[in-house]
Amino acid sequence: MSRSGELAEFRKEVADFCESRLPEDIRRKVLLNQHLEKGDFVRWMRILHEKGWLIAHWPEEYGGKDWPRLKRWVFENELYRLGSPWLAPFGVTYVGPVIYTFGTEAQKKRWLGPTARHDIWWAQGYSEPNAGSDLANLQTRAVRDGDHYIVTGHKIWTSMAQWADMIFALVRTDPDAKPQHGISFLLIDLKSPGVSIRPIKSINLVEDLNEVFFDAVRVPADNLIGEEGRGWTYAKFLLDNERLISAEVGKAQRLMEQLRFFLRETSAGGRPLIEMPSWRSRIAELDLRLRSLVSLCNAMFAELEAGDDPGLSASMLKIESAELLQAISGAQIDALSEGGLSYQAEALDPDSPVPHVAPEGASGALGEYLHGRVYSIWGGSSEIQKNIIAKAVLGL
Amino acid sequence: MSRSGELAEFRKEVADFCESRLPEDIRRKVLLNQHLEKGDFVRWMRILHEKGWLIAHWPEEYGGKDWPRLKRWVFENELYRLGSPWLAPFGVTYVGPVIYTFGTEAQKKRWLGPTARHDIWWAQGYSEPNAGSDLANLQTRAVRDGDHYIVTGHKIWTSMAQWADMIFALVRTDPDAKPQHGISFLLIDLKSPGVSIRPIKSINLVEDLNEVFFDAVRVPADNLIGEEGRGWTYAKFLLDNERLISAEVGKAQRLMEQLRFFLRETSAGGRPLIEMPSWRSRIAELDLRLRSLVSLCNAMFAELEAGDDPGLSASMLKIESAELLQAISGAQIDALSEGGLSYQAEALDPDSPVPHVAPEGASGALGEYLHGRVYSIWGGSSEIQKNIIAKAVLGL
Amino acid sequence: MKHEANLDAEVRRLFAATVEKLAKQHHSIERCRGPRFECSDEEWSAFAEQGVFALGIDPEYGGLGGGISDLAAVMRQIGYNLLAVPFFENAVMAALLVNRFGSADLKESLLPQIAEGSVRMAVALRDPGTVGADANHRAQFAGDTISGVKDQVMDAENASKFLVGAHDVDGKMVLGMIERDSPGLSVQHYRLPDNRIASRLTLDSVVATILAVPDPGDIQAILDAGAVCLASETVGAMAAANRITLDYAKVRRQFGRPIGDFQVLQHRMVDMFIAERRSRAVVDEAAAALDNSLSDRTMAVSVAKAQADKSGRFVAESAIQIHGGMGLTDECAIGHYLKRILLNGSRHGTAAWHLNRLSLLQR
Amino acid sequence: MKHEANLDAEVRRLFAATVEKLAKQHHSIERCRGPRFECSDEEWSAFAEQGVFALGIDPEYGGLGGGISDLAAVMRQIGYNLLAVPFFENAVMAALLVNRFGSADLKESLLPQIAEGSVRMAVALRDPGTVGADANHRAQFAGDTISGVKDQVMDAENASKFLVGAHDVDGKMVLGMIERDSPGLSVQHYRLPDNRIASRLTLDSVVATILAVPDPGDIQAILDAGAVCLASETVGAMAAANRITLDYAKVRRQFGRPIGDFQVLQHRMVDMFIAERRSRAVVDEAAAALDNSLSDRTMAVSVAKAQADKSGRFVAESAIQIHGGMGLTDECAIGHYLKRILLNGSRHGTAAWHLNRLSLLQR
């Protein structure tokens, strides 16, 4: 069978599984852009793990199936298209591969199992108040003290830290080295004394981002991954993975379907918006961009399998996917505005609820639009990605 | 009468004059985007001069009517909307004001009359091969020799130099001064020995741009405007005027009308394009931009009358107007492409002409589109204009 | 409009300074953050005492005089400072409607109260599921009563009177004035995305004082004036977003220098600045066109609203991008400006609605 | 399509190298500058000798085999090097049409000639005033003759046979093959904006050999294959424009440094690079979809053509902007790339035509 045939068959298998096994309550929350609880994420990830898919992209020796990146990408995006929650990547896609690639045998033994089973919820401790896209400026210090490090500092924008058990953090172990050297990669138990977590209220009113403070936290030196001072290398390895999975075309497809639904359900002058000329051509433009992005992803992942440096493809896909996701959710807001933006209405008197005039799912659309501003910011803003490409691909 | 009422009445007066006095052969060439001869320009400008309008923006003492910038702008743009040729600005808008502002009495006496009557066709000698937007890098030298300067150097992108009698040029008189100092403003007779002009064939196949070479050309020192070394100041004064008149909304209005005409005359699947949904919304978007630009121009020119620095308004209007003109002529190409781009067809056998299938005027549209790439380049590219605004307005 | 330039230049200057000062005093991002972002009694009184609600009302009714341009100037301050004061509901919409459609008696009794701020009114013109830009009201007027549903009524919690759009049995448009405590009126309050409170009115044979509307076009003209005022508020919000972003870009450092040093961000900020100037120009021109009853005023209104809504969105989204992670927090002002811009965009006709009207007017 | 992957990988690699070398040899901006930019006999022979015209033709007819993907790869080289060789008319369109609709006899006699380059054909499918993307031909077939007008026929000056699209009296589509010197045929040549020569054919009862077209959808499929090949040519032109621009940005200095140092130009070039990659991806995928007869191939074709045309325009216009004044001269290569991209955009369906088809297929 041809490769695209195989992938089509696999896609179908994923869809069938999703159809039969994704819990309906979870799927509904996702499709309506509602807020998910920790339990929702974990429940679904454990179902996927049972099926052997959650860490199928890991090497066989660590319990995976050696899936190539393309297959993992197809897998995730097929799920997202159909209403699966985001597969929290912190453990299975970020730190897991760092551990099996750079960790000691003892570290692999200790961490990989619980990470694969999602018994540990990991958080990612990279950004700091003065080191966002510019990680070289990290200030969090880790000072060796016998067989421990004493960690002091302040991380910010830490996603889901409120649910996390462990954090993998970049810390400065050598203040005298050049900025990008002297950084190490450390696993820290968030229940350690001296750790405190403060939630940040987001523009969409959820509190999934956090500040994490370390006040002389003692961390066993065994929790250092790889060599001291090489944290930058491991972080870059991980960031490439982060940017690659950020090409969320599955989600874009889902939002596009939802946009069409909103346009069918919203009328102006007695006619559904989807029949309006301006909307028809806007939809066609968005559809063109979406289909082009899918093709670009297919091409990029094929090149990666041929051994290309993932960093550049990752930057390109991250830029493009952020722009598209924002364009689609911006179009949703425009569609719903025709109904008055009252869809986000929150009744003040629970005994007298406001009958919604907007289509189902509309109440989550604004949240998704506002949250979606983050796509072009996190993991290195689109501007940073373009700097990377200019330097590495164009030689400028 | 309110000011906008006065302007509306003036606009009508201009339109009536244009209707009755603009020679039909010239109007037709303009409306069809055909190439104009020197005689076409001069004939029309002399008619306008007779009417007292060509230099009405000059002070009364030099034969003008002291028109404020806004009125001059309304005047030109009303003309352009109705098919007037470009009013070659080199004499009446560029060098004329420099002469009456910075020149000696003798210079005013000598040059202003023939410039006003358009007896002299002026060219502008600013750009050089290595000094385009970056005039500080000028290499053309003028060395004082008794009561003459000896000029040696090479100017490029000199519009209509093939028709010009005189050139006003920036030349370096002091090679040791800082780059922006040491530059002077000199009037040079193009019939002087040592001057040679080489036309540059443009992307649209016309030869209106030129290189001008100066090989030890002797120029009377009386032709120096103002002080030696202050040419930069005079040039900036002039560039502000150049950028201001580049807000060619009249032309944009004319091209927009022509676009509507093409859309009515071109069919796809048996229906005029103008009825197609995608075209209707594209036209509305362009129309919005055009009307907004007109309002922005009105506001900017009003601020100028209140004494604001023209440089910044000029930069803003130049950026916006370039973008809009290019968007409209790009839309024309899209409209005509539906008819096959055969509109530019040039019959090889004059005895067997190709019957045109495209609407009238289509044959000039590609030329205008190609030529129109220049709007965002000449007189300082859009990028340079944004640098200027970032620095001067935003303080960055 | 009856309001052309009947405000003395010096009065105008002084008044603008007063409004600017007041607006600045009541600006508070903390209050924007909720849970209920409303205009308090003190705030209302402060504006009333300075005569702000008297703007636009004829001196013969105790007003200050002034036109749409003057009202739009106040709206700009409201947008710049993100206030909740219901100036739009009272000084703009209620005053214009009563002045245009009220009987001589009603004008004489009500306009002075609006002018001095002794009555607080709300306006219920919008039917559920519409963009609030046209005059096709579905509520029914029969006998002396109105029945129907009206949506997204602002400041309804505090208002004592409502102006409601309806049609009589002959399909003729009317305006009904109803009292807050009338039998048959039920009001459901809800929180908008920007924490302001809006309400849905359900009217079941509510007794109303009727203001006759001879021609639906007259209502349309006032909806248009409202559209320009909202666009002006958006221009104010844009100006604030630009100022805040520029200030941030000058102090926030990355890679060892202020982010404002990076050419790409500089050019983006220039685009934002031009977007603001462009919107200001079209809004000012539309207000002047209304004040001077120019023949192309409808087109000018649609240009203004479409341009301001689109530019506002571009400016606010760009401002967040330049702020980075910080821009995505509830603590940061930018998000609140974005939300106000979005809501203004959904009132009195969206950009799409106005673009469509523009293309119909063109034909 | 009958062409799926019947080309050995090693042959493909060698062939690509040959084509690349040939294309490079014949690249000349001087020739693009006119006055008549045509494929000379020597150029034709050079390509024929290397077997380039045999690509895509079944080995049983003397061809090399290969599919649309292989043809598209050659088109890419043609676009990159701006060649005038009528590969598209012969190896793509004529070969596909004859192979699909020709009788066994015709295939046996004609395909080997096309493969070895001993016949030079032109294709006349386009009616005046159409976008050349659909199969509704207005020329009429009656008796053994065709009457009508065909426009923008490329390389008609040099071709000895034409394939003409027409309908018979029952409204059934046919293809007619006519000879260059047939009575009743008049040909008017004209220069296109890029200095290539196209022609209008006027047929007055011209005797034709008829190739039956059982279903108009079959013609559409071949027009689609042509669209993908033209899109591929545009991708090649984009790649060249990007390379030339990047080289220029590294050497051209302003304000004391290479213009490629300016972040705004860097980001613009990144956008251009991504536009190229994106277009390459959709074109390759569309070619593969045709070769593998995938069910969504029509959609893939429209995505490819629309995306390549739009991106091509963006890339070429940006390339001129970065070149500054130099980019506006006839001497500079960029303008010639822009013109080729524009012309490709107007053939076999414009971006607008394909976007519209996309939205109809969606329903």
Side-chain angles (χ1 to χ4, degrees):
Chain A
M1 191 186 300
S2 76
R3 195 164 98 168
S4 60
E6 269 170 43
L7 280 180
E9 202 156 281
F10 173 61
R11 208 174 256 123
K12 170 123 185 35
E13 190 186 350
V14 174
D16 289 345
F17 184 79
C18 201
E19 177 66 35
S20 63
R21 300 295 309 280
L22 174 60
E24 196 46 41
D25 59 322
I26 297 181
R27 185 205 313 265
R28 200 176 146 73
K29 280 189 185 177
V30 171
L31 291 180
L32 301 182
N33 290 317
Q34 290 173 357
H35 194 246
L36 275 74
E37 302 300 323
K38 178 176 183 178
D40 297 326
F41 288 102
V42 173
R43 187 154 42 116
W44 173 232
M45 285 198 284
R46 294 227 168 111
I47 293 171
L48 290 173
H49 188 51
E50 254 172 52
K51 172 76 179 173
W53 280 351
L54 188 61
I55 59 157
H57 55 301
W58 289 19
E60 279 186 40
E61 58 179 310
Y62 306 119
K65 298 175 193 290
D66 267 324
W67 276 2
R69 280 197 175 91
L70 173 60
K71 190 163 181 181
R72 172 70 181 185
W73 179 79
V74 165
F75 166 69
E76 284 201 30
N77 282 285
E78 186 62 14
L79 287 184
Y80 298 152
R81 187 173 74 80
L82 296 167
S84 155
W86 195 47
L87 302 189
F90 313 107
V92 296
T93 301
Y94 294 170
V95 76
V98 168
I99 293 170
Y100 65 65
T101 307
F102 303 106
T104 62
E105 286 312 312
Q107 287 170 333
K108 295 180 195 175
K109 203 156 172 168
R110 173 158 177 206
W111 299 110
L112 289 181
T115 297
R117 289 188 303 274
H118 224 278
D119 289 344
I120 303 174
W121 188 293
W122 286 92
Q124 166 169 318
Y126 278 22
S127 292
E128 298 183 2
N130 290 304
S133 292
D134 175 18
L135 290 177
N137 202 30
L138 281 178
Q139 302 295 327
T140 297
R141 295 275 306 275
V143 180
R144 186 69 181 243
D145 176 31
D147 53 3
H148 281 76
Y149 286 98
I150 313 294
V151 177
T152 302
H154 176 188
K155 294 288 175 183
I156 196 169
W157 314 127
T158 318
S159 298
M160 277 87 172
Q162 77 276 18
W163 295 337
D165 307 296
M166 295 285 299
I167 190 168
F168 52 94
L170 291 180
V171 294
R172 188 167 295 284
T173 41
D174 181 354
D176 302 322
K178 282 189 196 166
Q180 295 193 9
H181 301 80
I183 290 176
S184 300
F185 193 102
L186 200 58
L187 314 182
I188 307 176
D189 189 331
L190 286 169
K191 289 177 296 295
S192 311
V195 172
S196 56
I197 295 178
R198 192 177 78 84
I200 299 170
K201 194 170 177 185
S202 287
I203 190 171
N204 58 338
L205 307 188
V206 303
E207 299 192 340
D208 278 348
L209 297 174
N210 301 272
E211 290 182 274
V212 181
F213 299 89
F214 302 95
D215 180 11
V217 176
R218 291 185 71 82
V219 180
D222 286 349
N223 285 11
L224 177 81
I225 298 291
E227 292 170 45
E228 242 191 34
R230 301 211 53 207
W232 185 258
T233 311
Y234 315 144
K236 201 191 154 317
F237 168 87
L238 187 157
L239 278 174
D240 287 347
N241 284 329
E242 176 178 343
R243 274 177 281 143
L244 274 177
I245 66 163
S246 72
E248 291 193 51
V249 303
K251 181 168 190 173
Q253 287 164 328
R254 172 168 77 70
L255 293 178
M256 192 76 184
E257 265 320 299
Q258 195 177 32
L259 170 59
R260 287 198 173 90
F261 172 76
F262 290 160
L263 291 171
R264 280 192 301 270
E265 298 290 311
T266 310
S267 293
R271 235 164 32 132
L273 291 180
I274 202 158
E275 289 176 15
M276 286 184 63
S278 52
W279 273 111
R280 277 197 42 215
S281 59
R282 189 160 172 197
I283 283 282
E285 295 276 355
L286 286 172
D287 197 43
L288 176 66
R289 288 171 67 178
L290 176 55
R291 286 169 191 277
S292 296
L293 180 58
V294 173
S295 295
L296 185 64
C297 287
N298 289 337
M300 294 283 112
F301 281 97
E303 283 177 26
L304 288 183
E305 283 186 51
D308 282 19
D309 174 5
L312 305 172
S313 310
S315 290
M316 212 178 325
L317 296 183
K318 181 172 183 304
I319 294 167
E320 294 287 291
S321 134
E323 211 175 280
L324 179 61
L325 283 165
Q326 292 175 344
I328 298 173
S329 65
Q332 287 193 350
I333 295 305
D334 287 336
L336 294 170
S337 289
E338 304 277 319
L341 237 75
S342 55
Y343 53 88
Q344 185 72 357
E346 187 190 338
L348 291 184
D349 176 1
D351 297 333
S352 159
V354 184
H356 272 283
V357 292
E360 188 172 25
S363 65
L366 184 67
E368 170 57 30
Y369 162 82
L370 293 169
H371 165 73
R373 301 288 106 212
V374 86
Y375 296 132
S376 51
I377 294 173
W378 68 11
S381 69
S382 293
E383 289 82 3
I384 303 276
Q385 305 304 333
K386 289 187 185 180
N387 287 347
I388 292 173
I389 297 173
K391 195 167 165 190
V393 185
L394 306 184
L396 291 170
Chain B
M1 193 185 300
S2 75
R3 194 163 98 171
S4 60
E6 270 170 42
L7 281 179
E9 202 156 280
F10 173 62
R11 208 174 258 121
K12 169 121 187 30
E13 190 186 350
V14 174
D16 288 345
F17 184 81
C18 201
E19 178 65 36
S20 64
R21 300 293 309 280
L22 175 59
E24 195 46 42
D25 59 322
I26 296 182
R27 187 206 310 266
R28 200 176 146 74
K29 279 188 185 178
V30 171
L31 291 180
L32 301 182
N33 289 317
Q34 289 172 359
H35 196 246
L36 276 73
E37 302 302 323
K38 178 176 183 177
D40 297 326
F41 288 102
V42 173
R43 185 153 43 116
W44 174 230
M45 285 197 284
R46 294 226 169 112
I47 294 171
L48 290 173
H49 188 52
E50 254 171 53
K51 172 76 180 171
W53 281 350
L54 188 61
I55 59 156
H57 56 300
W58 290 18
E60 281 186 36
E61 58 180 308
Y62 307 119
K65 299 176 192 289
D66 267 324
W67 278 1
R69 280 198 175 90
L70 173 60
K71 191 164 181 181
R72 172 70 182 183
W73 179 79
V74 164
F75 165 69
E76 284 203 31
N77 282 285
E78 186 63 15
L79 288 184
Y80 297 153
R81 187 173 73 80
L82 296 167
S84 154
W86 195 47
L87 303 189
F90 312 107
V92 295
T93 301
Y94 295 170
V95 77
V98 168
I99 292 171
Y100 66 64
T101 307
F102 303 106
T104 61
E105 287 312 311
Q107 288 171 333
K108 294 179 196 174
K109 205 158 171 166
R110 172 155 180 210
W111 299 111
L112 289 181
T115 297
R117 290 188 303 275
H118 225 278
D119 289 344
I120 302 174
W121 188 294
W122 286 93
Q124 166 170 319
Y126 279 22
S127 293
E128 298 184 2
N130 289 305
S133 292
D134 175 17
L135 290 178
N137 202 31
L138 282 178
Q139 303 296 326
T140 296
R141 293 277 304 275
V143 179
R144 185 71 180 243
D145 178 31
D147 53 4
H148 281 77
Y149 286 98
I150 313 296
V151 177
T152 303
H154 176 187
K155 296 287 175 183
I156 195 169
W157 314 127
T158 317
S159 298
M160 277 89 172
Q162 77 276 16
W163 296 336
D165 306 296
M166 295 286 300
I167 189 168
F168 52 94
L170 291 180
V171 294
R172 190 168 292 285
T173 41
D174 181 355
D176 302 324
K178 283 190 197 161
Q180 295 193 9
H181 302 77
I183 290 176
S184 301
F185 193 103
L186 201 58
L187 314 181
I188 307 175
D189 188 332
L190 286 169
K191 289 177 296 295
S192 312
V195 172
S196 55
I197 296 177
R198 192 177 77 85
I200 300 170
K201 192 169 180 186
S202 287
I203 190 171
N204 58 337
L205 309 188
V206 303
E207 298 191 341
D208 278 348
L209 296 174
N210 301 272
E211 290 182 275
V212 182
F213 299 88
F214 301 95
D215 181 10
V217 175
R218 290 184 70 81
V219 180
D222 286 348
N223 286 10
L224 177 80
I225 298 292
E227 292 170 45
E228 242 191 33
R230 301 211 53 206
W232 184 258
T233 311
Y234 315 144
K236 202 193 152 320
F237 168 87
L238 187 157
L239 277 174
D240 288 345
N241 284 329
E242 176 177 346
R243 273 178 281 142
L244 274 177
I245 66 163
S246 73
E248 291 192 50
V249 303
K251 181 166 191 176
Q253 287 164 328
R254 172 168 76 71
L255 293 178
M256 192 77 185
E257 266 319 299
Q258 194 179 32
L259 170 61
R260 288 200 174 90
F261 172 76
F262 290 161
L263 290 171
R264 280 193 299 270
E265 298 290 311
T266 311
S267 294
R271 236 166 29 133
L273 290 180
I274 201 159
E275 289 175 16
M276 284 184 67
S278 52
W279 272 111
R280 277 198 41 214
S281 58
R282 191 162 171 196
I283 284 282
E285 295 277 353
L286 287 171
D287 198 43
L288 176 67
R289 287 171 67 178
L290 175 55
R291 286 169 189 277
S292 296
L293 180 58
V294 173
S295 295
L296 185 64
C297 287
N298 289 337
M300 294 283 112
F301 280 97
E303 283 177 26
L304 288 183
E305 284 188 50
D308 282 20
D309 175 5
L312 305 171
S313 310
S315 291
M316 211 179 326
L317 296 183
K318 180 171 186 304
I319 294 167
E320 294 288 290
S321 132
E323 211 174 281
L324 179 62
L325 284 166
Q326 291 176 343
I328 298 173
S329 66
Q332 288 193 349
I333 294 306
D334 286 336
L336 294 170
S337 287
E338 305 277 319
L341 238 74
S342 54
Y343 53 86
Q344 185 71 358
E346 189 190 337
L348 291 184
D349 177 0
D351 297 334
S352 158
V354 183
H356 272 285
V357 291
E360 186 172 25
S363 65
L366 183 67
E368 170 57 30
Y369 161 84
L370 293 170
H371 164 73
R373 302 287 106 213
V374 86
Y375 297 133
S376 51
I377 294 172
W378 68 11
S381 69
S382 293
E383 289 82 4
I384 303 277
Q385 305 304 335
K386 289 188 184 180
N387 288 348
I388 292 173
I389 298 174
K391 196 167 165 194
V393 185
L394 306 183
L396 291 171
Chain C
M1 302 288 120
K2 265 209 63 169
H3 297 270
E4 28 195 306
N6 51 2
L7 196 62
D8 174 76
E10 178 61 9
V11 174
R12 182 171 280 146
R13 205 186 54 73
L14 285 171
F15 189 78
T18 304
V19 171
E20 186 172 355
K21 197 170 150 222
L22 265 176
K24 217 164 164 181
Q25 280 166 356
H26 290 88
H27 170 65
S28 158
I29 291 300
E30 269 319 301
R31 280 176 57 212
C32 291
R33 298 183 66 189
R36 291 169 77 104
F37 178 32
E38 292 180 279
C39 174
S40 65
D41 288 347
E42 301 94 281
E43 187 174 347
W44 172 270
S45 304
F47 278 83
E49 273 161 29
Q50 299 291 339
V52 180
F53 301 118
L55 191 70
I57 294 176
D58 269 355
E60 59 172 310
Y61 301 116
L64 265 174
I68 303 299
S69 302
D70 298 296
L71 298 170
V74 176
M75 291 296 288
R76 193 151 309 167
Q77 287 296 335
I78 290 175
Y80 191 89
N81 292 287
L82 277 189
L83 305 184
V85 61
F87 177 85
F88 181 73
E89 283 64 35
N90 290 274
V92 179
M93 294 302 292
L96 289 176
L97 289 168
V98 170
N99 186 64
R100 180 72 192 79
F101 303 112
S103 63
D105 282 358
L106 187 70
K107 283 157 79 165
E108 220 155 288
S109 66
L110 197 55
L111 287 175
Q113 292 183 55
I114 295 177
E116 67 187 21
S118 59
V119 65
R120 193 158 163 174
M121 300 192 65
V123 176
L125 294 179
R126 185 168 189 164
D127 287 303
T130 68
V131 293
D134 51 37
N136 302 314
H137 299 285
R138 287 197 293 264
Q140 286 292 326
F141 170 63
D144 317 327
T145 69
I146 295 180
S147 296
V149 179
K150 289 289 165 179
D151 212 355
Q152 223 180 45
V153 181
M154 304 296 291
D155 204 40
E157 276 195 310
N158 304 295
S160 58
K161 293 177 197 297
F162 302 101
L163 284 169
V164 182
H167 275 88
D168 68 13
V169 283
D170 303 324
K172 218 170 120 51
M173 163 117 203
V174 298
L175 269 181
M177 190 165 73
I178 62 174
E179 303 293 321
R180 176 70 184 86
D181 50 6
S182 303
L185 173 64
S186 71
V187 186
Q188 294 160 301
H189 304 300
Y190 50 91
R191 200 191 331 270
L192 292 173
D194 71 347
N195 294 319
R196 283 186 299 171
I197 309 298
S199 309
R200 168 171 291 191
L201 269 49
T202 309
L203 298 91
D204 180 8
S205 303
V206 178
V207 175
T209 309
I210 289 309
L211 291 70
V213 177
D215 183 72
D218 294 338
I219 282 273
Q220 195 69 59
I222 290 172
L223 290 168
D224 275 3
V228 171
C229 285
L230 290 169
S232 187
E233 183 178 359
T234 292
V235 171
M238 256 185 259
N242 275 342
R243 184 191 48 76
I244 294 169
T245 304
L246 186 56
D247 289 348
Y248 185 78
K250 286 176 181 170
V251 299
R252 168 72 177 170
R253 298 178 72 85
Q254 268 200 330
F255 303 103
R257 42 185 182 143
I259 59 173
D261 272 11
F262 291 95
Q263 197 193 23
V264 159
L265 297 191
Q266 290 184 352
H267 283 205
R268 180 100 168 232
M269 285 186 275
V270 168
D271 292 339
M272 292 159 70
F273 172 73
I274 296 178
E276 175 199 331
R277 293 302 294 266
R278 177 189 269 273
S279 305
R280 203 166 89 192
V282 288
V283 169
D284 290 347
E285 209 161 278
L290 289 175
D291 283 336
N292 297 305
S293 299
L294 299 187
S295 61
D296 62 352
R297 61 187 180 277
T298 310
M299 212 172 265
V301 169
S302 280
V303 167
K305 185 66 163 57
Q307 185 66 59
D309 290 349
K310 286 163 85 86
S311 292
R313 188 89 159 252
F314 165 72
V315 164
E317 290 179 354
S318 298
I320 290 180
Q321 181 70 20
I322 293 171
H323 275 77
M326 193 53 71
L328 282 157
T329 63
D330 185 58
E331 203 177 329
C332 177
I334 289 298
H336 300 280
Y337 282 100
L338 171 59
K339 289 170 186 173
R340 179 68 64 102
I341 287 168
L342 287 178
L343 282 167
N344 284 350
S346 78
R347 301 175 71 186
H348 286 239
T350 60
W353 189 91
H354 285 284
L355 266 172
N356 190 48
R357 185 166 77 165
L358 203 54
S359 91
L360 296 175
L361 287 169
Q362 266 301 337
R363 286 190 169 178
Chain D
M1 302 287 120
K2 268 210 62 180
H3 298 270
E4 27 196 307
N6 52 1
L7 196 63
D8 175 75
E10 179 61 8
V11 173
R12 180 170 282 146
R13 205 185 55 72
L14 285 172
F15 188 77
T18 304
V19 171
E20 186 172 355
K21 197 169 151 223
L22 264 176
K24 217 165 166 177
Q25 280 165 357
H26 291 87
H27 170 66
S28 158
I29 291 299
E30 270 319 302
R31 280 177 57 212
C32 291
R33 297 183 66 188
R36 291 170 78 104
F37 178 34
E38 292 181 281
C39 174
S40 65
D41 289 346
E42 303 94 280
E43 187 174 346
W44 173 270
S45 305
F47 278 84
E49 272 160 30
Q50 299 290 338
V52 180
F53 300 118
L55 191 69
I57 295 176
D58 270 354
E60 60 172 309
Y61 300 116
L64 264 174
I68 302 300
S69 303
D70 298 297
L71 298 170
V74 176
M75 291 297 287
R76 193 150 312 167
Q77 286 297 335
I78 290 174
Y80 192 90
N81 292 287
L82 279 188
L83 305 184
V85 61
F87 177 84
F88 181 71
E89 283 63 36
N90 289 275
V92 179
M93 294 303 293
L96 288 176
L97 289 168
V98 170
N99 186 65
R100 179 72 191 77
F101 303 112
S103 64
D105 280 1
L106 186 70
K107 284 157 78 167
E108 221 155 288
S109 66
L110 197 55
L111 287 175
Q113 292 182 56
I114 295 177
E116 67 186 23
S118 60
V119 66
R120 193 158 163 175
M121 300 191 66
V123 176
L125 294 179
R126 187 168 187 163
D127 286 303
T130 68
V131 294
D134 50 39
N136 302 314
H137 299 285
R138 288 198 292 265
Q140 286 292 327
F141 170 64
D144 314 328
T145 69
I146 295 180
S147 297
V149 179
K150 290 289 166 179
D151 212 354
Q152 222 179 43
V153 181
M154 305 295 293
D155 203 41
E157 277 195 309
N158 304 294
S160 58
K161 294 178 197 296
F162 302 101
L163 284 169
V164 182
H167 275 88
D168 68 13
V169 282
D170 303 324
K172 220 169 117 53
M173 163 118 204
V174 298
L175 269 182
M177 190 164 75
I178 62 176
E179 301 294 321
R180 178 71 185 84
D181 50 7
S182 302
L185 173 64
S186 71
V187 186
Q188 295 159 298
H189 304 301
Y190 50 91
R191 200 191 333 270
L192 292 174
D194 71 346
N195 293 320
R196 284 185 299 172
I197 309 299
S199 309
R200 169 171 290 190
L201 269 49
T202 307
L203 298 92
D204 180 8
S205 302
V206 178
V207 175
T209 309
I210 289 309
L211 290 72
V213 177
D215 183 73
D218 294 338
I219 283 272
Q220 194 68 60
I222 289 172
L223 289 168
D224 275 3
V228 171
C229 284
L230 289 168
S232 187
E233 183 178 358
T234 291
V235 171
M238 255 185 261
N242 275 341
R243 183 190 50 74
I244 293 168
T245 305
L246 186 57
D247 289 349
Y248 185 77
K250 286 177 182 170
V251 299
R252 168 72 177 171
R253 298 177 72 85
Q254 268 201 330
F255 303 102
R257 43 185 180 142
I259 60 173
D261 271 12
F262 290 95
Q263 197 192 21
V264 158
L265 297 192
Q266 290 185 351
H267 284 205
R268 180 101 170 231
M269 285 187 274
V270 168
D271 292 339
M272 292 159 71
F273 172 73
I274 295 179
E276 174 199 334
R277 293 302 295 266
R278 177 190 269 274
S279 304
R280 202 166 90 193
V282 288
V283 169
D284 289 348
E285 209 160 277
L290 290 175
D291 283 337
N292 297 303
S293 298
L294 299 187
S295 60
D296 62 351
R297 60 186 181 276
T298 309
M299 210 172 270
V301 169
S302 280
V303 167
K305 186 66 164 54
Q307 185 66 61
D309 289 350
K310 286 165 84 86
S311 292
R313 187 90 159 251
F314 165 73
V315 164
E317 290 179 354
S318 298
I320 289 179
Q321 181 70 19
I322 293 171
H323 274 77
M326 194 52 71
L328 282 157
T329 63
D330 185 58
E331 202 177 329
C332 176
I334 289 298
H336 301 280
Y337 282 101
L338 171 59
K339 290 170 185 173
R340 178 69 64 102
I341 286 168
L342 288 179
L343 283 167
N344 285 350
S346 78
R347 301 175 71 187
H348 286 240
T350 61
W353 190 92
H354 284 285
L355 265 172
N356 190 48
R357 185 165 78 165
L358 204 54
S359 91
L360 296 175
L361 286 169
Q362 265 302 336
R363 285 188 168 177

